[in-house]
Amino acid sequence: MIFDSHGRCIRYLRISVTDRCNLRCIYCMSERRICLSDLEHILTYEEIERVVRIATSLEIGFIRLTGGEPLVRREVCSLVKRLSRIPGLTDLSLTTNGTLLEPLASSLQKAGLKRVNISLDTLDEGRFSCLTRGGDLSCVRAGIYAALNAGLEPVKINVVLFADENGEPPENDILGFAEMSRNLPLHVRFIEWMPAFGEYQHNGGDGRDAMKPLSENWAKKVLSRLGKLYPYSGPVSGGPARYFRYAGAAGSIGFIAPLSAPFCGECSRLRLTSTGKLRSCLLHDGEVDLRRPMRNGATDAEIVALFLRAAQQKPASYSPEAASSASMSWIGG
Ligand code: SAM
Ligand code: SF4
Protein backbone atom coordinates (compact mmCIF):
# COMPACT_ATOMS: atom_id res chain seq x y z
CA MET A 1 0.00 0.00 0.00
CA ILE A 2 1.40 3.44 -0.78
CA PHE A 3 0.57 6.84 0.65
CA ASP A 4 1.39 10.29 -0.63
CA SER A 5 3.05 12.92 1.53
CA HIS A 6 -0.39 14.21 2.61
CA GLY A 7 -1.53 10.84 3.96
CA ARG A 8 -3.79 9.85 1.06
CA CYS A 9 -3.69 6.21 0.08
CA ILE A 10 -3.13 5.59 -3.66
CA ARG A 11 -5.59 3.03 -4.96
CA TYR A 12 -6.41 4.05 -8.51
CA LEU A 13 -4.40 4.17 -11.75
CA ARG A 14 -5.73 5.71 -14.96
CA ILE A 15 -3.88 4.48 -17.99
CA SER A 16 -3.89 6.32 -21.30
CA VAL A 17 -3.38 3.59 -23.90
CA THR A 18 -3.03 6.05 -26.79
CA ASP A 19 -2.93 9.79 -27.43
CA ARG A 20 -4.73 9.26 -30.76
CA CYS A 21 -8.43 9.92 -31.19
CA ASN A 22 -11.02 9.61 -33.96
CA LEU A 23 -12.82 12.80 -32.77
CA ARG A 24 -11.62 16.36 -32.21
CA CYS A 25 -13.81 17.68 -29.38
CA ILE A 26 -13.52 21.44 -29.38
CA TYR A 27 -12.56 21.69 -25.70
CA CYS A 28 -10.04 18.85 -25.79
CA MET A 29 -8.11 18.54 -29.03
CA SER A 30 -6.94 21.20 -31.39
CA GLU A 31 -8.08 20.91 -34.99
CA ARG A 32 -4.90 22.38 -36.42
CA ARG A 33 -2.08 21.78 -33.94
CA ILE A 34 -2.06 18.20 -32.82
CA CYS A 35 1.15 17.00 -31.19
CA LEU A 36 1.14 13.22 -31.31
CA SER A 37 3.81 11.08 -29.67
CA ASP A 38 6.15 8.91 -31.74
CA LEU A 39 4.70 5.43 -31.92
CA GLU A 40 7.87 3.86 -30.54
CA HIS A 41 7.39 5.95 -27.38
CA ILE A 42 3.92 4.55 -26.73
CA LEU A 43 3.99 1.77 -24.14
CA THR A 44 3.47 -1.72 -25.53
CA TYR A 45 0.79 -4.00 -24.05
CA GLU A 46 3.55 -6.01 -22.36
CA GLU A 47 4.84 -2.85 -20.70
CA ILE A 48 1.36 -1.76 -19.59
CA GLU A 49 0.77 -5.23 -18.16
CA ARG A 50 4.02 -5.02 -16.22
CA VAL A 51 3.10 -1.61 -14.80
CA VAL A 52 -0.31 -2.93 -13.71
CA ARG A 53 1.26 -6.01 -12.07
CA ILE A 54 3.54 -3.73 -10.07
CA ALA A 55 0.65 -1.37 -9.26
CA THR A 56 -1.54 -4.20 -7.95
CA SER A 57 1.36 -5.47 -5.84
CA LEU A 58 1.13 -2.02 -4.18
CA GLU A 59 -2.66 -2.48 -3.72
CA ILE A 60 -3.43 -0.04 -6.51
CA GLY A 61 -6.22 -2.28 -7.74
CA PHE A 62 -8.60 0.10 -9.54
CA ILE A 63 -7.52 0.40 -13.15
CA ARG A 64 -9.21 2.55 -15.81
CA LEU A 65 -8.19 2.55 -19.47
CA THR A 66 -8.56 5.84 -21.27
CA GLY A 67 -6.84 8.01 -23.87
CA GLY A 68 -7.05 9.70 -26.40
CA GLU A 69 -9.66 7.24 -27.53
CA PRO A 70 -8.73 3.81 -26.14
CA LEU A 71 -10.82 1.93 -28.71
CA VAL A 72 -8.75 3.23 -31.64
CA ARG A 73 -5.77 1.23 -30.38
CA ARG A 74 -5.46 -2.07 -32.21
CA GLU A 75 -6.37 -5.27 -30.35
CA VAL A 76 -7.45 -3.40 -27.24
CA CYS A 77 -9.48 -6.47 -26.14
CA SER A 78 -6.23 -8.42 -25.85
CA LEU A 79 -4.93 -5.78 -23.41
CA VAL A 80 -8.13 -6.05 -21.38
CA LYS A 81 -7.71 -9.84 -21.28
CA ARG A 82 -4.10 -9.60 -20.09
CA LEU A 83 -4.97 -7.08 -17.36
CA SER A 84 -8.13 -8.83 -16.16
CA ARG A 85 -6.07 -11.90 -15.22
CA ILE A 86 -3.70 -10.04 -12.93
CA PRO A 87 -4.10 -11.12 -9.31
CA GLY A 88 -5.03 -8.22 -7.03
CA LEU A 89 -6.96 -6.33 -9.67
CA THR A 90 -10.11 -4.98 -8.01
CA ASP A 91 -11.75 -3.19 -10.89
CA LEU A 92 -11.14 -2.75 -14.62
CA SER A 93 -13.04 -0.01 -16.41
CA LEU A 94 -12.78 2.08 -19.57
CA THR A 95 -13.60 5.63 -20.63
CA THR A 96 -14.57 6.02 -24.28
CA ASN A 97 -16.30 8.41 -26.64
CA GLY A 98 -18.51 5.45 -27.56
CA THR A 99 -18.27 5.81 -31.33
CA LEU A 100 -16.45 2.48 -31.78
CA LEU A 101 -18.09 0.64 -28.90
CA GLU A 102 -20.96 -1.16 -30.62
CA PRO A 103 -18.88 -3.87 -32.33
CA LEU A 104 -16.51 -4.22 -29.35
CA ALA A 105 -18.74 -4.12 -26.26
CA SER A 106 -19.42 -7.84 -26.03
CA SER A 107 -15.77 -8.83 -26.68
CA LEU A 108 -14.57 -6.31 -24.10
CA GLN A 109 -16.96 -7.74 -21.51
CA LYS A 110 -15.85 -11.30 -22.30
CA ALA A 111 -12.22 -10.21 -22.07
CA GLY A 112 -12.86 -9.05 -18.49
CA LEU A 113 -13.91 -5.41 -18.69
CA LYS A 114 -16.34 -4.68 -15.86
CA ARG A 115 -17.81 -1.29 -16.66
CA VAL A 116 -17.66 1.63 -19.00
CA ASN A 117 -17.96 5.43 -18.94
CA ILE A 118 -19.17 6.94 -22.20
CA SER A 119 -18.53 10.62 -22.87
CA LEU A 120 -21.46 12.35 -24.56
CA ASP A 121 -22.14 16.05 -24.17
CA THR A 122 -25.29 16.44 -26.26
CA LEU A 123 -28.23 14.47 -27.64
CA ASP A 124 -28.61 16.78 -30.61
CA GLU A 125 -27.03 15.45 -33.83
CA GLY A 126 -26.05 18.89 -35.13
CA ARG A 127 -24.53 20.03 -31.85
CA PHE A 128 -22.70 16.70 -31.49
CA SER A 129 -21.22 17.04 -34.94
CA CYS A 130 -20.05 20.60 -34.14
CA LEU A 131 -18.64 19.76 -30.70
CA THR A 132 -16.73 16.72 -31.93
CA ARG A 133 -15.92 18.23 -35.35
CA GLY A 134 -17.68 15.64 -37.43
CA GLY A 135 -18.68 12.80 -35.06
CA ASP A 136 -21.79 10.70 -35.68
CA LEU A 137 -24.17 10.63 -32.72
CA SER A 138 -25.95 7.48 -33.92
CA CYS A 139 -22.73 5.48 -33.40
CA VAL A 140 -22.55 6.61 -29.77
CA ARG A 141 -26.21 5.72 -29.19
CA ALA A 142 -25.53 2.27 -30.66
CA GLY A 143 -22.49 1.97 -28.39
CA ILE A 144 -24.56 2.79 -25.30
CA TYR A 145 -27.14 0.11 -26.09
CA ALA A 146 -24.40 -2.40 -26.92
CA ALA A 147 -22.75 -1.72 -23.54
CA LEU A 148 -26.05 -2.30 -21.71
CA ASN A 149 -26.76 -5.47 -23.70
CA ALA A 150 -23.25 -6.81 -23.12
CA GLY A 151 -23.75 -6.60 -19.34
CA LEU A 152 -21.13 -3.95 -18.71
CA GLU A 153 -22.32 -2.50 -15.43
CA PRO A 154 -22.72 0.25 -14.49
CA VAL A 155 -22.82 2.24 -17.71
CA LYS A 156 -22.12 5.88 -16.93
CA ILE A 157 -22.59 8.79 -19.31
CA ASN A 158 -20.22 11.72 -18.76
CA VAL A 159 -21.58 15.09 -19.86
CA VAL A 160 -19.33 18.16 -19.78
CA LEU A 161 -21.40 21.23 -18.90
CA PHE A 162 -20.95 24.35 -21.01
CA ALA A 163 -22.79 26.71 -23.28
CA ASP A 164 -21.15 26.62 -26.68
CA GLU A 165 -20.40 29.26 -29.27
CA ASN A 166 -23.98 30.39 -29.83
CA GLY A 167 -24.18 31.08 -26.08
CA GLU A 168 -27.39 29.07 -25.63
CA PRO A 169 -27.40 26.93 -22.48
CA PRO A 170 -28.28 23.40 -23.62
CA GLU A 171 -31.46 23.00 -21.54
CA ASN A 172 -33.01 20.45 -23.90
CA ASP A 173 -29.91 18.30 -23.60
CA ILE A 174 -30.04 18.39 -19.81
CA LEU A 175 -33.69 17.33 -19.88
CA GLY A 176 -32.99 14.65 -22.49
CA PHE A 177 -30.22 13.14 -20.35
CA ALA A 178 -32.53 13.27 -17.33
CA GLU A 179 -35.15 11.27 -19.26
CA MET A 180 -32.49 8.74 -20.22
CA SER A 181 -31.62 8.26 -16.54
CA ARG A 182 -35.29 7.66 -15.79
CA ASN A 183 -35.94 5.13 -18.54
CA LEU A 184 -32.67 3.21 -18.75
CA PRO A 185 -30.14 1.95 -16.17
CA LEU A 186 -27.76 4.75 -17.13
CA HIS A 187 -25.89 6.93 -14.67
CA VAL A 188 -25.54 10.39 -16.18
CA ARG A 189 -22.85 12.58 -14.61
CA PHE A 190 -22.68 16.30 -15.29
CA ILE A 191 -19.06 17.43 -15.11
CA GLU A 192 -17.68 20.92 -14.84
CA TRP A 193 -15.67 21.95 -17.83
CA MET A 194 -12.03 22.67 -16.99
CA PRO A 195 -10.63 25.34 -19.32
CA ALA A 196 -7.15 25.06 -17.81
CA PHE A 197 -5.63 22.65 -20.31
CA GLY A 198 -2.85 23.19 -22.81
CA GLU A 199 -4.61 22.47 -26.09
CA TYR A 200 -7.36 24.83 -25.02
CA GLN A 201 -4.98 27.55 -23.94
CA HIS A 202 -2.92 27.32 -27.11
CA ASN A 203 -5.87 27.26 -29.37
CA GLY A 204 -7.81 30.49 -29.11
CA GLY A 205 -9.76 31.57 -32.14
CA ASP A 206 -11.28 28.26 -33.19
CA GLY A 207 -14.63 28.70 -31.49
CA ARG A 208 -13.95 27.82 -27.90
CA ASP A 209 -13.31 31.34 -26.72
CA ALA A 210 -17.07 31.71 -26.75
CA MET A 211 -17.63 28.63 -24.53
CA LYS A 212 -19.04 29.40 -21.10
CA PRO A 213 -18.89 27.08 -18.11
CA LEU A 214 -22.27 26.20 -16.58
CA SER A 215 -22.73 25.45 -12.91
CA GLU A 216 -24.16 22.45 -11.11
CA ASN A 217 -26.80 24.75 -9.61
CA TRP A 218 -27.91 25.82 -13.06
CA ALA A 219 -28.24 22.17 -14.14
CA LYS A 220 -30.13 21.27 -10.95
CA LYS A 221 -32.61 24.06 -11.59
CA VAL A 222 -33.29 22.75 -15.10
CA LEU A 223 -33.54 19.16 -13.81
CA SER A 224 -36.08 20.14 -11.15
CA ARG A 225 -38.63 20.75 -13.92
CA LEU A 226 -38.94 16.98 -14.28
CA GLY A 227 -39.50 16.31 -10.58
CA LYS A 228 -37.70 16.07 -7.27
CA LEU A 229 -34.20 14.57 -7.19
CA TYR A 230 -33.49 12.32 -4.19
CA PRO A 231 -29.96 11.71 -2.88
CA TYR A 232 -28.67 8.30 -3.94
CA SER A 233 -25.59 6.36 -2.86
CA GLY A 234 -24.50 5.85 -6.48
CA PRO A 235 -23.95 2.85 -8.74
CA VAL A 236 -20.51 2.10 -7.25
CA SER A 237 -19.01 3.34 -4.03
CA GLY A 238 -16.17 5.86 -3.94
CA GLY A 239 -15.33 8.36 -6.67
CA PRO A 240 -15.89 12.08 -6.83
CA ALA A 241 -19.52 12.16 -8.03
CA ARG A 242 -22.50 13.03 -5.80
CA TYR A 243 -25.57 11.13 -6.99
CA PHE A 244 -29.33 11.74 -7.08
CA ARG A 245 -32.27 10.15 -8.82
CA TYR A 246 -35.89 10.68 -9.65
CA ALA A 247 -38.45 8.50 -7.86
CA GLY A 248 -38.75 5.17 -9.69
CA ALA A 249 -35.86 5.91 -12.08
CA ALA A 250 -33.86 3.06 -13.61
CA GLY A 251 -30.64 5.10 -13.48
CA SER A 252 -29.31 8.15 -11.69
CA ILE A 253 -27.82 11.61 -12.08
CA GLY A 254 -24.47 12.65 -10.66
CA PHE A 255 -22.46 15.84 -10.41
CA ILE A 256 -18.69 16.21 -10.52
CA ALA A 257 -17.43 19.72 -9.86
CA PRO A 258 -13.62 19.68 -9.84
CA LEU A 259 -13.43 23.47 -9.83
CA SER A 260 -16.30 24.66 -7.64
CA ALA A 261 -16.30 21.67 -5.24
CA PRO A 262 -12.79 20.16 -5.50
CA PHE A 263 -12.26 16.63 -4.18
CA CYS A 264 -8.47 16.76 -3.88
CA GLY A 265 -8.64 15.74 -0.20
CA GLU A 266 -10.00 12.31 -1.20
CA CYS A 267 -8.00 11.87 -4.40
CA SER A 268 -6.43 8.42 -4.59
CA ARG A 269 -5.27 8.57 -8.22
CA LEU A 270 -2.16 8.36 -10.26
CA ARG A 271 -2.17 8.61 -14.06
CA LEU A 272 0.03 6.89 -16.60
CA THR A 273 0.38 8.66 -19.94
CA SER A 274 0.53 6.67 -23.15
CA THR A 275 4.29 7.31 -23.28
CA GLY A 276 4.85 5.88 -19.82
CA LYS A 277 5.00 8.94 -17.56
CA LEU A 278 3.41 8.68 -14.14
CA ARG A 279 1.56 11.85 -13.21
CA SER A 280 0.28 12.53 -9.74
CA CYS A 281 -2.36 15.14 -10.63
CA LEU A 282 -4.33 16.13 -13.71
CA LEU A 283 -3.44 19.78 -13.13
CA HIS A 284 0.18 19.38 -12.13
CA ASP A 285 2.94 18.86 -14.69
CA GLY A 286 5.31 16.84 -12.45
CA GLU A 287 6.04 13.45 -14.03
CA VAL A 288 8.06 10.33 -13.28
CA ASP A 289 9.19 8.43 -16.34
CA LEU A 290 8.70 4.67 -16.27
CA ARG A 291 9.33 3.94 -19.96
CA ARG A 292 13.05 4.59 -20.13
CA PRO A 293 13.87 2.72 -16.91
CA MET A 294 11.71 -0.24 -18.03
CA ARG A 295 13.39 -0.31 -21.44
CA ASN A 296 16.80 -0.04 -19.77
CA GLY A 297 16.22 -3.13 -17.65
CA ALA A 298 14.96 -1.67 -14.35
CA THR A 299 13.91 -4.28 -11.80
CA ASP A 300 10.41 -4.39 -10.32
CA ALA A 301 11.82 -2.98 -7.07
CA GLU A 302 13.21 -0.01 -8.98
CA ILE A 303 9.83 0.60 -10.64
CA VAL A 304 8.15 0.42 -7.21
CA ALA A 305 10.54 3.17 -6.06
CA LEU A 306 9.39 5.29 -9.02
CA PHE A 307 5.75 4.78 -8.01
CA LEU A 308 6.65 5.99 -4.52
CA ARG A 309 8.40 9.02 -5.99
CA ALA A 310 5.33 9.89 -8.08
CA ALA A 311 3.07 9.55 -5.02
CA GLN A 312 5.37 11.88 -3.07
CA GLN A 313 4.99 14.51 -5.80
CA LYS A 314 1.22 14.58 -5.45
CA PRO A 315 0.18 18.11 -4.46
CA ALA A 316 -2.25 18.60 -1.55
CA SER A 317 -4.56 20.34 -3.99
CA TYR A 318 -4.28 21.92 -7.38
CA SER A 319 -4.19 25.63 -7.97
CA PRO A 320 -6.12 26.82 -11.03
CA GLU A 321 -3.15 29.11 -11.83
CA ALA A 322 -0.87 26.08 -12.11
CA ALA A 323 -2.59 25.08 -15.31
CA SER A 324 -1.24 22.02 -17.03
CA SER A 325 0.61 22.55 -20.28
CA ALA A 326 -0.60 19.17 -21.54
CA SER A 327 -4.01 18.33 -23.00
CA MET A 328 -6.52 16.00 -21.40
CA SER A 329 -6.27 13.68 -24.42
CA TRP A 330 -2.53 13.28 -23.83
CA ILE A 331 -2.60 12.94 -20.04
CA GLY A 332 -5.57 10.59 -20.12
CA GLY A 333 -8.72 12.24 -18.82
N1 SAM B 1 -11.73 9.73 -25.68
C1 SAM B 1 -12.30 9.25 -24.49
C2 SAM B 1 -13.55 10.01 -24.13
O1 SAM B 1 -13.80 11.05 -24.72
O2 SAM B 1 -14.24 9.54 -23.24
C3 SAM B 1 -11.35 9.21 -23.31
C4 SAM B 1 -10.44 10.37 -23.12
S1 SAM B 1 -11.23 11.94 -22.83
C5 SAM B 1 -9.83 12.98 -22.63
C6 SAM B 1 -11.84 11.68 -21.20
C7 SAM B 1 -12.83 12.69 -20.70
O3 SAM B 1 -12.19 13.94 -20.56
C8 SAM B 1 -14.03 12.93 -21.60
O4 SAM B 1 -15.21 12.68 -20.85
C9 SAM B 1 -13.96 14.40 -21.94
O5 SAM B 1 -15.23 14.98 -22.05
C10 SAM B 1 -13.18 14.93 -20.75
N2 SAM B 1 -12.53 16.20 -21.01
C11 SAM B 1 -11.61 16.52 -21.96
N3 SAM B 1 -11.23 17.81 -21.84
C12 SAM B 1 -11.91 18.32 -20.77
C13 SAM B 1 -11.94 19.58 -20.11
N4 SAM B 1 -11.20 20.59 -20.53
N5 SAM B 1 -12.78 19.73 -19.04
C14 SAM B 1 -13.52 18.69 -18.59
N6 SAM B 1 -13.53 17.47 -19.15
C15 SAM B 1 -12.74 17.29 -20.22
FE1 SF4 C 1 -11.10 12.50 -28.28
FE2 SF4 C 1 -12.13 12.10 -25.88
FE3 SF4 C 1 -10.70 14.32 -26.38
FE4 SF4 C 1 -13.08 14.04 -27.49
S1 SF4 C 1 -12.66 14.18 -25.28
S2 SF4 C 1 -11.18 14.68 -28.54
S3 SF4 C 1 -13.20 11.89 -27.82
S4 SF4 C 1 -9.94 12.26 -26.39
Side-chain angles (χ1 to χ4, degrees), residues 2-3 70 73 88 102 109 129 146 152 155 162 171 190 203 227 240 262 311:
I2 62 172
F3 291 86
R73 183 143 175 197
E102 185 191 18
Q109 193 275 340
S129 176
L152 292 167
V155 177
F162 56 86
E171 293 186 6
F190 294 108
N203 202 38

Side-chain angles (χ1 to χ4, degrees), residues 12-28:
Y12 192 129
L13 180 64
R14 271 186 185 221
I15 301 175
S16 172
V17 300
T18 178
D19 58 356
R20 272 70 175 165
C21 186
N22 58 337
L23 299 182
R24 292 284 177 275
C25 299
I26 59 171
Y27 53 79
C28 177

Side-chain angles (χ1 to χ4, degrees), residues 65-255:
L65 303 181
T66 180
E69 173 47 45
L71 300 187
V72 303
R73 183 143 175 197
R74 227 178 288 159
E75 308 285 341
V76 73
C77 288
S78 70
L79 174 66
V80 169
K81 201 169 195 174
R82 280 166 179 267
L83 301 186
S84 67
R85 292 176 177 164
I86 294 177
L89 191 88
T90 315
D91 185 42
L92 183 58
S93 59
L94 176 113
T95 298
T96 171
N97 63 34
T99 52
L100 304 172
L101 188 55
E102 185 191 18
L104 286 173
S106 173
S107 310
L108 285 166
Q109 193 275 340
K110 287 189 185 117
L113 188 74
K114 301 247 193 307
R115 57 201 183 91
V116 71
N117 288 7
I118 300 171
S119 306
L120 176 62
D121 301 331
T122 177
L123 296 170
D124 178 271
E125 276 172 31
R127 187 172 187 243
F128 183 80
S129 176
C130 281
L131 292 181
T132 58
R133 299 200 187 92
D136 182 350
L137 178 60
S138 66
C139 298
V140 186
R141 284 188 189 277
I144 293 172
Y145 286 110
L148 290 172
N149 290 335
L152 292 167
E153 201 190 339
V155 177
K156 297 182 190 170
I157 309 292
N158 289 346
V159 184
V160 180
L161 274 179
F162 56 86
D164 46 22
E165 51 273 31
N166 58 21
E168 293 296 322
E171 293 186 6
N172 288 343
D173 275 336
I174 304 294
L175 295 171
F177 283 118
E179 284 295 357
M180 274 172 94
S181 84
R182 285 223 275 217
N183 302 329
L184 293 166
L186 293 173
H187 304 277
V188 176
R189 289 122 48 94
F190 294 108
I191 303 176
E192 253 176 18
W193 168 52
M194 294 187 279
F197 282 92
E199 294 273 348
Y200 177 77
Q201 291 174 324
H202 297 143
N203 202 38
D206 69 352
R208 291 176 298 171
D209 284 347
M211 284 171 61
K212 289 190 193 67
L214 293 169
S215 69
E216 175 178 330
N217 281 344
W218 171 81
K220 278 188 173 150
K221 217 182 239 172
V222 177
L223 291 165
S224 68
R225 288 189 215 151
L226 292 188
K228 189 169 162 45
L229 280 171
Y230 295 90
Y232 167 55
S233 57
V236 282
S237 57
R242 286 156 291 115
Y243 286 96
F244 301 83
R245 63 176 166 186
Y246 294 108
S252 67
I253 289 178
F255 296 95

Side-chain angles (χ1 to χ4, degrees), residues 310-322:
Q312 291 309 303
Q313 286 185 0
K314 200 166 166 66
S317 61
Y318 72 86
S319 76
E321 297 78 49

